[in-house]
Structure formats: C-alpha cells, structure tokens
Amino acid sequence: MRRFLIGDRSFDEDSVEFQALLPRAYEHKLRPHCRCKEPAVAMYIARLDGQYFVKRMPLSGRDHDPACSSYEPPYELSGLGPLVGNAIQIDANGRTALKLDFSMTKRSPRAALSLPTESSEPAIRNETKKLSLRAMLHYLWEMGELTEWRSSWAGKRGWGRVRTSLMNAASQTTARGAHLSEMLFVPEVFHQEDKEAIAARRSAALAGAQASGTGPRTLMIAVAEVKECTAAREGHRITLRHLPFPFMIEEGPWKRLNARYETELELWRSNEECHLILIATFGISVSGVAAVEEVAMMVVNEDWIPFESVHERHLLERLARLRRKSVKGLRFNLSRDHPIVSVTLPEQRPSPVALFIVPPGASEDYERALAEMIESRPEMTPWVWRVSEGEMPRLP
DNA sequence: ACTAAATAAGCCGAGCTGTT
DNA sequence: AACAGCTCGGCTTATTTAGT
C-alpha cells in the first residue's frame, strides 16, 4: 500500500480520512507525495468518472521504489529514452508537450516556385528530435499503460478500455500548441442500440478534420483497429473497426505503406487473434470522404500488447499467464537494429528483470549495444533469449 | 502596431538498400 | 555493378508569436 504526504500530513492510501480528503485536495490542486522513497516523489490527483486517483507524474515511474505500485522500469531501456527531454517535454504539472515530425495541416500546392536565393547564413543545426507517427502511437500506448499486463486482467481489456486509456493519455499531452485530445480521434465501441448518440459524438469529435474550403486544411490523428483493406477505383480503402466509413489512401502512399510495414502485415495475416493498429493523419473533404495523409502501424496480441516478431509473441504468451506485472518495451523512433528491452518484470524479487530478445542474425554492433545497455542498468537483472541459439530460456 | 524570432511544412539532395 | 526508390536531414519560405 502506498503512503502519501499532503502538506506535512501523512496518510495511508486506503484510509478513510485520505479518501475523504481527496476531492478537496483535488479542488485546491494539492500535490500528494509518495513516501516509498526519501525524499518523497511528487504525484498528482486525477479525477476520472467522478472518482479520484493518485497518479504518478508522466515518466516518473523510475523515481519510485521497485516495491511501490507506482514503480515503473526506467525508460532508457526502450525507445522512449532518447526522446525524453527533447521531443517529449514534461512540465511540473504532469503534462507533456510533444514535438511532431509530421504535418498536421495540408496546404494547397505552392503557387510559384521561387529560385533559391544565394544565402551565406550560418547553417543552424536542428538537433531536436521529433516524434514520428509510430513513436506517437507508442507514446500513447505507453502513457495509457496499455503496455502493462498481468494474468488477472484476462478478458477485461477490449477496445473500450483501450480507447479510454488512449484518450486519458492524450488529455495529459499537448503538441503544436494544441491539446492532443482535440487532435486525436479514436472510434468508440459501436453499439446498435446507441447508434444515434455515437454518431453525434463522432461527428463532433471529427469537426477538426473537416475541410473548411479556404486556407490550409487542418488534419487530425486517428488511432483505430484495421478490419480490412480493399482496392478502390483509385487507391485503396482501409476499413476500421467501429467506424461506418472507410479511410481512403492513394496508390503511392499505399505502396509505401505495404513496403514499410511488410513485417507487421505479415504478422497480422498469420494470426487470427492479433489486431492491427493504425495511426494516421487524415482530413475529411467537403464531400465527407476521409483521406489518409500519413500512416503508421503496429501489431498487438489478443491482450492489446504490441509485439514485433513471432518470438516476442511467444514470450508475451508465456508472460500473460503470470500473476505479476509485465511491461512491454516499445521502439518509438528507434530502428530495428537498435536493441531495446522486450519486456520488463518490475515486480520480480529481489530485483526487477529486463528481458531481451536477440533476433537471429544480429550484428556484432547489436550485441555490443545490448551489453552496454545491460551494463548501464545494474539494478535490473538481465535475461537474454538469443533466438539463433534455440528455445526460449526458462523465465526468471 | 511593427519588427524580430521561433515554428511549421514542403522541397531537395545525399546516402543507403534492395533489386535486376 | 548499376540503378532506382526510399529515407533522412537540411534548407527555404510562410506563418505565428512575442517583444518593443
């Protein structure tokens, strides 16, 4: 159980007086501090559906004691590490600001191209990294705690849960000076009996993507599960679950998508249980047709945990039966030849465990980078499965 | 209100990879 | 081995924001 400090008073999480204090503390924007470590770790109070929760500040999971329920493994082991502080900036109120590497508007084609002017200005290095679309999807998944799993959650996570988690994550986040929740569209679970209300909420949510006729088109970001892709008269039609209309994609981008996400599509087609998650910037034309501008994808298993190879899926399958929590590491902007932690087991005793999978045919550089990564986090017990050496080793 | 600086989006070229 | 296509980074220009 967690113990909190509010002001100079100490409370047990479950105590009646603490639960009674929460609404007032929320009202006055008081910040609880978790006493699992000294000095206590700053947290915040969130209100969800009229209930109050003490939540950790974004990306502060590593500051908690490994035994604390708010503990999360350090993000340096996943693709999140290089982005924190640059593309992902966290302020004191627990809100994060993202820098995006994709357009959120579509401007009309440039009227005239001006000849490049002679310029002797010193070149300004743009060293700030930005989030790709895939990294944005991984960010939402991680912040929504959809990378976490324990066996007791079996059967309890469906698209409704996923959607709520994603929207919660977005509500803490800004990008390009706007709230991410206003830019993000995630289709609601469709129920026939609630058809009209859902349609009304949907069209309200999609207002930001609607073409106004003049000026640059503003785009929105959609996250949804792909149902199927079919050829259209021109380009392709992507049908998404819980959405009554398809997203159109032109032939060129469609080809690129297939080449880029060949592995993902292959994994998706090879297994009926898994889901293909799409993230795309899109706009809606005056005639009401939704068209994709940019797109990225990832494959998740039946528990909505992302994976990138059959080996990882096997590992997740084994871990899904464990009562203790497992946390999936994600790649964000990193390419496939960078090692990242596959899964961490934060609740493992005596120390948290980092599970790595070395893909067959990994280079020496890969092994070297992996060794460095393991060395840099001595508090984590490493577990390595080298696929080329055979079967999965025994889990810790 | 005007100017300067920061930011966003699109274009272009260098380098890499995969194919023929 | 050459070529084509794609990706990534840098540069340019437009637009927004902040400061005077």
Side-chain angles (χ1 to χ4, degrees):
Chain A
M1 191 207 329
R2 297 180 294 183
R3 286 163 67 227
F4 300 117
L5 274 177
I6 292 187
D8 49 8
R9 295 182 62 197
S10 185
F11 301 91
D12 279 347
E13 175 171 27
D14 299 336
S15 70
V16 179
E17 53 170 348
F18 181 66
Q19 292 301 319
L21 179 70
L22 270 178
R24 265 195 302 132
Y26 176 82
E27 204 68 39
H28 291 92
K29 294 190 161 52
L30 295 179
R31 190 181 286 298
H33 290 256
C34 183
R35 300 197 64 192
C36 68
K37 275 245 181 118
E38 194 60 48
V41 188
M43 301 186 75
Y44 72 98
I45 304 169
R47 207 180 82 142
L48 278 170
D49 302 322
Q51 284 201 310
Y52 297 87
F53 301 92
V54 178
K55 300 188 73 169
R56 66 170 162 254
M57 304 280 278
L59 310 177
S60 71
R62 66 215 235 105
D63 299 334
H64 292 262
D65 189 272
C68 176
S69 61
S70 292
Y71 172 80
E72 253 193 340
Y75 47 72
E76 282 84 351
L77 298 178
S78 77
L80 182 54
L83 296 172
V84 171
N86 299 310
I88 301 174
Q89 302 199 339
I90 307 145
D91 75 6
N93 296 318
R95 300 195 159 269
T96 55
L98 305 182
K99 291 185 178 161
L100 310 181
D101 199 21
F102 47 88
S103 306
M104 285 307 294
T105 59
K106 180 76 179 172
R107 286 195 298 209
S108 45
R110 199 78 57 78
L113 61 128
S114 51
L115 285 165
T117 48
E118 206 71 40
S119 167
S120 55
E121 291 293 307
I124 303 144
R125 277 279 169 75
N126 182 13
E127 303 230 319
T128 54
K129 295 278 174 200
K130 300 181 209 160
L131 267 81
S132 65
L133 256 184
R134 183 183 70 176
M136 164 77 101
L137 182 58
H138 286 182
Y139 171 86
L140 289 169
W141 227 257
E142 170 137 354
M143 297 310 272
E145 299 179 359
L146 292 166
T147 51
E148 302 180 6
W149 187 258
R150 55 187 0 135
S151 59
S152 56
W153 297 346
K156 289 179 186 155
R157 187 186 276 173
W159 181 251
R161 262 296 350 125
V162 172
R163 178 179 191 276
T164 308
S165 298
L166 294 174
M167 295 311 283
N168 278 341
S171 70
Q172 296 292 314
T173 310
T174 59
R176 299 254 216 270
H179 288 284
L180 193 57
S181 19
E182 281 156 34
M183 303 158 55
L184 181 67
F185 172 70
V186 185
E188 275 185 65
V189 175
F190 185 79
H191 295 292
Q192 187 64 40
E193 63 273 23
D194 200 19
K195 208 174 153 184
E196 284 84 12
I198 290 172
R201 284 195 294 271
R202 182 173 53 230
S203 55
L206 287 172
Q210 199 72 49
S212 54
T214 55
R217 286 249 311 275
T218 59
L219 305 177
M220 286 182 73
I221 302 168
V223 175
E225 182 187 349
V226 175
K227 196 193 279 175
E228 59 169 351
C229 305
T230 50
R233 196 165 304 178
E234 197 118 331
H236 276 74
R237 201 182 285 124
I238 302 174
T239 313
L240 302 169
R241 280 192 70 198
H242 305 299
L243 207 60
F245 55 82
F247 275 34
M248 303 307 292
I249 182 167
E250 285 171 34
E251 199 57 42
W254 168 257
K255 286 236 176 75
R256 241 174 291 144
L257 173 73
N258 271 284
R260 182 99 199 260
Y261 294 97
E262 194 188 352
T263 352
E264 280 79 3
L265 291 164
E266 195 181 28
L267 285 169
W268 176 53
R269 282 191 281 255
S270 71
N271 190 317
E272 287 293 315
E273 310 248 275
C274 58
H275 313 272
L276 183 64
I277 305 298
L278 165 134
I279 183 168
T281 56
F282 70 102
I284 299 174
S285 71
V286 180
S287 52
V289 175
V292 163
E293 289 295 332
E294 274 190 74
V295 60
M297 289 175 162
M298 73 178 183
V299 184
V300 300
N301 70 5
E302 60 271 35
D303 300 325
W304 304 89
I305 312 286
F307 65 95
E308 48 184 46
S309 68
V310 286
H311 312 108
E312 247 188 10
R313 192 164 63 76
H314 288 152
L315 177 58
L316 290 175
E317 235 166 63
R318 293 271 283 276
L319 295 170
R321 298 185 218 124
L322 299 184
R323 200 165 309 153
R324 65 197 168 203
K325 186 161 83 178
S326 57
V327 184
K328 183 72 184 62
L330 296 177
R331 208 164 263 293
F332 292 75
N333 275 358
L334 290 183
S335 68
R336 257 172 206 283
D337 39 71
H338 283 81
I340 57 159
V341 71
S342 181
V343 180
T344 47
L345 302 172
E347 295 172 352
Q348 190 74 27
R349 296 294 167 267
S351 59
V353 176
L355 302 126
F356 298 92
I357 297 180
V358 179
S363 66
E364 275 178 42
D365 285 348
Y366 189 99
E367 286 284 358
R368 205 172 303 125
L370 176 63
E372 263 171 45
M373 187 172 258
I374 290 172
E375 207 172 313
S376 71
R377 286 281 143 194
E379 77 274 24
M380 310 282 292
T381 307
W383 174 99
V384 183
W385 175 18
R386 290 190 173 77
V387 174
S388 57
E389 289 173 11
E391 287 300 296
M392 191 190 307
R394 263 193 62 221
L395 288 173

